[in-house]
Each structure stands twice: as C-alpha cells, then as structure tokens.
C-alpha cells in the first residue's frame, strides 16, 4: 500500500469513527452544523461568540478545561494563515460562555471557527455575539401601504438603508406645483419660491413671489387645450412627501430621505408651466443668481423634476441643467408616461440628468392605462417604484382643502424615490459626491429587474442599501453575490455552482473577492476554479493540503478583462475515489 493510500485510509478511519460516535449518541463534528447558528452570521466581522457546553461537562465545572477546549479549537482553526487565540470573557446568566477571538474574523472565517468549536461533543451550541440595532421600520400608520420601500421584487430596500442614512443635512429642491399645508410634511419644508410669472395662471394675483404655496392647477373643459374638466392635482405635495415626509411620527407615511429638507419651487400652475420659468427655477434652486429674485438661502444638493414635455432638450434647458450640475447639484428627472421613447421627451433627454423610469410591484414596466405607460429607451438611466404610490396630498378639488393622502402613479412618483436615495448618499458621504459620481453609484448598485422589461427602462431598480454600502470603501458600487445552495461533490466528478449577475455595467475589478466554503473529507482531491461567463477559468485551489479537510477561504482574483454581467460558476473537480463532500456556499464581490 502506498504512503498516500495509507494516509487516506487512516484519515477515513477517523471520519468513520466520528460518524460511529454520532450514531451512539455523541455530538461529533459531522453533525456540528446542527449546533451552529449560521443564520446569525451577518456580513460584518465577528470576534465574540457565545458557546454553551453541556451540563455535567468538564468545561462547565473547570476553568482550566474550558480554556483547554478553546485552545484546541483555536489551534484547529486556519484562517488566512494567521494564528488565533480564544479568550474566555465571562459566563452568562443562561450558563453559556462568552469568548473572544484574538482578531476580527470575516464571515467565512467566523463560520470555520464556529465549526471547530462545535466539533467538541460537549458543545451544545455556538453562535456569534451579534449586534442588534434600532429597527429601520418606521411607525407611520400607513407605512405598510408604501410597497416601494420594502417590496421583495421591486422595492428600493429603504428600511435597511435607513440604518445607515436618513438624509440628515441634505436639501432637495422639488420643482413642481408648489406645496400645500400638511402636518406630515411641514417640519421638513424650507422656504421656497414661486417662479410662475403668469399671474392669471398662478392664481395668486401677483405672479412671481416668495410664497411657493400651491393655489391649484385645476381647469375646465375648453381650457388648456383640453375637452374635459380636471381637478387640482397637488402634484408637488405628493412628490415632496415621497422625498421627505415626516417619519416615525405615528401617522401617515414615510419619506425616502425623511431627515432631509425640501425646498418647494413652484413652476407649474393652471395649464402647466413655461420653459423660461423652469430654467430660472433650476438656476435658483441650485444656488445660482436670478435677476430680481433673492438668493436661495438653502441651495439644493438634489433637484427633483417630475415634469416634462415633448421635443428636444434645447439650449435653454441644457444651459440651466449644466449650470446646476457645475454647482454640484444632481438633477433627477422623470422619463414621462406616454409609452414612448424618452428621447422625444424633455428634460428626460437632456444631458447631465438622471432619467427615471417606473416599475410596478412585480418589477415590470409600469402601465397605468392603454396609452399611459412608463417611457423607455436609451436615455432612461434607472427605474424606481411608480405604480400605486401612496404619499401626502390635499383633499381640495380646486383650491386647497384639508390635508389628505392618496396613491398616484407615474414616472413622477418614481423620480422622488431616486432623488431621496441621492439625498441618503450625500448625507452618508465623507465628502460631497459629484453628480457624475452619484449616477455611477446608482447604476452600479441597482438591483436587477426580476423580469426583463418589455422595453428598456434603465440598468435596474434603484437600491438604496446597496448604494450606501458602496460608500464603505473598496471598489465603488461593489456588490456581493452569493449561492448558498448545497451541491454534492461525488468521487471523480465535476460540479458547478452558478451565480448570475445582471444589471451591471463595465468589467469586474482587478481585486475581485471570491469566498468559498467547501466541506470535503480530503481537500487534496479537489481542484477549485472560478469560471467566468465567457468560459475563462481562474484557479483558486489545486489539490493542495493533502489529507486535511475542507476548502474554506477568500481569494483575490484579477477579473478586469471580464464583463460583470453573465453567469459565473464555482467549479469543483474531485480527482479521486473514497472521499466526497459538498459546496456549502460561495460568493463573489465586485
């Protein structure tokens, strides 16, 4: 018998002995996973663990035995080639023991250490001493109706984002119909301005003034080129509520960036608004100078324009937008609702804007009627919830009445979700991001559409949490993709575990991170590769480690020649007989 065969045979005897012990009632390593709370492992580093030893065990009665058991677990742990110590801190009121590792461990290392601890048959359970945080879910009474924040298919992941940022200190200008009095909004409203120069359309008797109150945009049949009557929309109040409604006040709705402030800028009134007024409003809102108008005391980091019309962008629109962007203001605009190409709608087709399409709760392109659907096309940058969006409103049919709430649909409703996320980003950034940087972050971190839209409406759905996570360092906009499904590794066989990436742009970075957890009773049998979507192979492990167990680790891989989108695979090839295992989980971060 060869030396390798004898070593393999000895190794297998140890494995079988452990399995036999389990059958007889001991809790050996093969079933250690049943005593490990892996679900409690967050994507953050861990250094403290709670270990419960069985009643009557030596570890429960002897400090020396306890420390010896911890030292054995630490000795058996192998994480990134670094030694590890385990220190007993105290015994809890429940009889479990709190222990601390000598350094912070990532998720893969923490799992490996927990498995080493649980290999001791006297361990009843082990779990990380996880941190708890105030929950991001607000107490607003109608928050449950705001699907756009939390929906599993198409929500923006707002509640988890709010643990990081709520928009504090950021100003969003809402260029729209103005604002109405609303107790679920007033506290977040700063002084604005009325740029409607036509006194008749403005209905305030004096044209431009410092009062941005919405006087109503209702009209009768025969007016505004329409054959029907139309009540006031209170559109600006609805949009402002989606941006920054007062939140955690036990009433009404929540805002996307609920600690941001809104500067209401009135440009739309009866029969809409003029390009000249809107251009002045963009300039003023972003901190520029408008003749005859006092300076804006609160220049906006973000402008929301849920408005539009047909035609090419034109010099006036583009000059105003370029001026705002040069002052550091991100301009977010609606794609339009005419079921047409947004290249024919302005300001959606202007340069230097973030153009927003709309999705419903299934993640499909929003449809409001047979002719009213979200605009689409190459100029649309990103999508956001835009169907059945509940927000602040007013009950008056013409002039302002009592405050109310209502659900609206349109790219007008999608746009403030994105503007709100921009506010979250700016509030969380160590230094202000440029409009170009903001657009890149939003696109790189967008969540994939759950179904391919029938027309293109951007790279994906805005993802507030992923966008904020990208500010933490490393590759801008980096995301982690994971496959946690078990894949059996049979003798002399090859198995692939796939991860599909979509909705991203560009190539992977030169420092992509691939984390692997493979349980196998003879790691020397295994060849482990990352397979790129084009079939290129990047080797991670090639039959090293001889008779030791498992392939657990994190690998840095240069993937700069590979496009991000496509199906990536972890490929494991077992090159011999007698030992088997499984791919437990793997992830790639880029």
């Amino acid at each position: 018998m060869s030396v390798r065969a004898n070593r393999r045979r000895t190794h297998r005897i140890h494995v079988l002995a452990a399995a036999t012990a389990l059958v007889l009632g001991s809790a050996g390593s093969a079933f250690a996973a049943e005593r490990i709370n892996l679900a409690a492992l967050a994507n953050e580093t861990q250094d403290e663990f709670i270990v419960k030893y069985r009643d009557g065990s030596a570890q429960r009665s002897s400090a020396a035995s306890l420390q010896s058991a911890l030292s054995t677990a630490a000795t058996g742990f192998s994480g990134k080639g670094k030694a590890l110590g385990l220190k007993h801190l105290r015994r809890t009121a429940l009889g479990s023991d709190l222990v601390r590792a000598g350094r912070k461990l990532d998720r893969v290392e923490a799992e490996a250490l927990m498995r080493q601890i649980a290999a001791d048959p006297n361990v009843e359970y082990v779990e990380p001493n996880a941190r708890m945080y105030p929950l991001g879910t607000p107490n607003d009474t109608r928050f449950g109706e705001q699907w756009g924040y939390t929906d599993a298919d198409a929500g923006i992941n707002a509640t988890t984002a709010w643990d990081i940022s709520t928009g504090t200190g950021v100003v969003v200008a809402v260029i729209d119909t103005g604002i109405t009095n609303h107790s679920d909004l007033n506290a977040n409203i700063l002084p604005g301005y009325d740029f409607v120069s036509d006194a008749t359309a403005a209905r305030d008797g004096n044209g431009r003034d410092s009062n941005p109150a919405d006087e109503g945009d209702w009209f009768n049949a025969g007016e505004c080129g329409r054959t029907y009557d139309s009540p006031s929309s209170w559109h600006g109040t609805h949009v402002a509520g989606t941006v920054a409604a007062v939140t955690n006040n036990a009433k009404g709705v929540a805002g996307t960036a609920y600690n941001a402030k809104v500067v209401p800028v009135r440009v739309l009134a009866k029969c809409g608004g003029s390009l000249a007024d809107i251009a002045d409003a963009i300039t003023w809102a972003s901190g520029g100078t408008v003749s005859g108008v006092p300076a804006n005391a609160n220049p906006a980091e973000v402008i929301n324009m849920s408005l539009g019309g047909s035609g090419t962008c034109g010099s006036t629109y583009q000059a105003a937008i370029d001026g705002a962007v040069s002052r550091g203001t991100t301009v977010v605009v609606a794609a339009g609702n005419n079921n047409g190409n947004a290249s024919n709608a302005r300001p959606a087709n202007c340069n230097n804007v973030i153009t927003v399409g709309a999705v419903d709760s299934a993640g499909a392109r929003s449809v409001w009627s047979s002719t009213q659907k979200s605009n689409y096309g190459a100029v649309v940058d990103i999508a956001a919830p835009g169907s059945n969006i509940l927000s602040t409103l007013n009950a008056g049919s013409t002039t302002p009445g009592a405050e109310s709430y209502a659900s609206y649909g349109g790219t007008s409703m999608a746009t403030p979700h994105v503007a709100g996320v921009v506010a979250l980003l700016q509030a969380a950034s160590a230094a202000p991001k440029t409009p170009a940087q903001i657009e890149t972050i939003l696109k790189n971190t967008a969540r994939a559409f759950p179904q391919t839209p029938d027309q293109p409406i951007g790279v994906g759905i805005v993802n507030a949490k992923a966008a904020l996570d990208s500010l933490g360092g490393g590759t801008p906009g980096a995301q982690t993709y994971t496959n946690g499904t078990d894949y059996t590794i049979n003798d002399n066989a090859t198995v692939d575990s796939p991860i599909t990436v979509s909705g991203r742009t560009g190539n992977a970075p030169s420092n992509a991170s691939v984390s692997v957890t493979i349980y196998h009773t003879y790691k020397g049998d295994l060849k482990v590769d990352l397979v790129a979507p084009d079939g290129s192979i990047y080797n991670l492990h090639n039959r090293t480690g001889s008779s030791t167990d498992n392939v657990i680790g994190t690998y840095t891989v240069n993937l700069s020649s590979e496009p991000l989108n496509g199906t990536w695979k972890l490929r494991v090839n077992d090159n011999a007989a007698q030992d088997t295992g499984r791919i437990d989980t793997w992830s790639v971060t880029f």
Side-chain angles (χ1 to χ4, degrees):
M1 180 180 295
S2 69
V3 173
R4 180 182 186 280
N6 184 62
R7 185 167 62 247
R8 178 186 289 279
R9 180 176 180 273
T10 302
H11 176 72
R12 284 181 57 78
I13 289 171
H14 292 162
V15 173
L16 289 171
T20 302
L22 285 165
V23 171
L24 294 175
S26 298
S29 62
F31 288 146
E34 297 179 3
R35 295 177 285 117
I36 302 174
N37 186 1
L38 295 179
L41 278 175
N43 289 322
E44 56 187 28
T45 57
Q46 307 279 350
D47 66 347
E48 291 187 358
F49 302 85
I50 300 170
V51 186
K52 178 65 162 54
Y53 289 95
R54 299 183 186 281
D55 292 340
S57 65
Q59 292 90 335
R60 288 294 300 275
S61 58
S62 166
S65 296
L66 171 58
Q67 189 57 57
S68 176
L70 295 176
S71 297
T72 298
T75 301
F77 167 78
S78 176
K80 297 183 178 178
K82 298 179 181 179
L84 185 76
L86 279 177
K87 179 182 179 182
H88 180 251
L89 297 180
R90 62 181 173 85
R91 181 154 288 172
T92 74
L94 301 175
S96 55
D97 292 284
L98 182 62
V99 302
R100 178 182 292 162
R103 61 180 175 83
K104 294 282 189 180
L105 307 177
D106 62 26
R107 191 185 194 286
V108 171
E109 289 184 307
E111 180 178 341
L113 177 60
M114 290 166 68
R115 292 188 183 278
Q116 286 291 335
I117 294 171
D120 185 338
N122 285 327
V123 171
E124 189 172 313
Y125 63 79
V126 56
E127 62 182 337
N129 187 26
R131 288 192 174 277
M132 306 293 131
Y133 301 94
L135 295 177
T137 302
N139 63 12
D140 302 75
T141 54
R142 301 190 68 177
F143 177 74
E145 299 173 61
Q146 294 181 278
W147 68 266
Y149 292 145
T150 59
D151 185 77
D153 292 320
I156 69 170
N157 290 326
T159 52
T160 51
W162 291 333
D163 290 334
I164 302 171
S165 174
T166 56
T168 302
V170 176
V171 175
V172 181
V174 173
I175 298 179
D176 213 292
T177 65
I179 200 79
T180 59
N181 179 60
H182 203 296
S183 63
D184 208 9
L185 192 54
N186 292 344
N188 283 340
I189 301 299
L190 294 173
Y193 206 82
D194 178 3
F195 276 89
V196 180
S197 55
D198 183 334
T200 301
R203 291 191 165 118
D204 59 4
N206 62 355
R208 289 187 174 183
D209 56 47
S210 60
N211 182 5
D214 188 343
E215 304 293 345
D217 58 356
W218 58 274
F219 57 83
N220 294 318
E223 298 182 304
C224 308
R226 300 292 190 267
T227 59
Y228 52 85
D229 295 340
S230 177
S232 290
S233 67
W234 317 117
H235 191 273
T237 299
H238 196 280
V239 170
T242 299
V243 173
V246 178
T247 303
N248 283 317
N249 60 342
K251 66 176 294 184
V253 295
T256 303
Y258 58 76
N259 279 329
K261 300 298 183 183
V262 169
V263 169
V265 186
R266 189 181 185 217
V267 297
L268 303 178
K270 179 182 177 181
C271 304
S274 75
L275 175 59
D277 286 349
I278 294 169
D280 279 354
I282 294 170
T283 301
W284 181 85
S286 60
T289 300
V290 178
S291 178
V293 178
N296 178 11
N298 302 287
E301 288 95 331
V302 192
I303 285 175
N304 186 105
M305 288 201 292
S306 293
L307 52 78
S310 61
T312 58
C313 178
S315 299
T316 301
Y317 245 142
Q318 194 61 65
I321 290 167
D322 290 346
V325 169
S326 73
R327 289 184 281 274
T329 303
T330 301
V331 181
V332 186
V333 305
N337 308 327
N338 298 322
N339 191 27
N341 196 308
S343 63
N344 299 314
R346 56 177 172 168
N349 56 14
C350 294
N351 296 323
N352 286 333
V353 299
I354 297 173
T355 300
V356 184
V359 292
D360 61 21
S361 59
R365 183 167 68 105
S366 288
V367 176
W368 304 288
S369 72
S370 58
T371 58
Q372 298 290 299
K373 303 179 183 180
S374 173
N375 281 356
Y376 54 84
V379 302
V380 182
D381 296 300
I382 200 163
S387 294
N388 195 31
I389 303 301
L390 180 69
S391 188
T392 48
L393 209 70
N394 190 278
S397 60
T398 54
T399 57
E403 66 178 46
S404 66
Y405 301 89
S407 292
Y408 276 3
T411 55
S412 285
M413 284 60 255
T415 304
H417 283 90
V418 176
V421 173
V422 176
L424 299 180
L425 283 168
Q426 293 291 32
S429 298
K433 299 294 184 185
T434 67
Q437 289 173 324
I438 290 290
E439 181 174 351
T440 297
I441 290 171
L442 294 180
K443 288 181 174 180
N444 284 351
T445 60
R447 62 184 301 186
F449 293 107
Q451 54 183 294
T452 302
D454 63 335
Q455 295 285 355
I457 50 174
V459 298
I461 301 168
V462 68
N463 187 335
K465 177 60 163 59
L468 288 167
D469 284 346
S470 76
L471 300 177
T475 303
Q479 296 185 61
T480 298
Y481 302 85
T482 302
N483 188 334
T485 302
D486 288 356
Y487 288 82
T488 300
I489 304 169
N490 294 316
D491 285 331
N492 293 301
T494 299
V495 61
D496 289 346
S497 174
I499 288 175
T500 299
V501 176
S502 62
R504 301 290 297 274
T505 57
N507 284 8
S510 60
N511 62 340
S513 177
V514 181
S515 295
V516 176
T517 300
I518 298 171
Y519 295 107
H520 192 279
T521 49
Y522 200 93
K523 69 188 295 184
D525 285 353
L526 301 182
K527 182 174 182 288
V528 182
D529 297 312
L530 176 69
V531 183
D534 67 357
S536 298
I537 293 176
Y538 298 84
N539 183 249
L540 307 178
H541 169 84
N542 195 5
R543 305 191 67 179
T544 59
S546 187
S547 62
T548 54
D549 294 342
N550 308 331
V551 179
I552 299 175
T554 300
Y555 306 85
T556 299
V557 187
N558 184 352
L559 301 176
S560 57
S561 64
E562 305 291 346
L564 284 163
N565 289 336
T567 299
W568 298 79
K569 299 175 184 176
L570 185 73
R571 177 167 294 165
V572 180
N573 172 239
D574 187 312
N575 290 274
Q578 300 182 9
D579 289 275
T580 59
R582 74 178 190 278
I583 302 173
D584 185 76
T585 186
W586 76 283
S587 64
V588 57
T589 300
F590 44 35

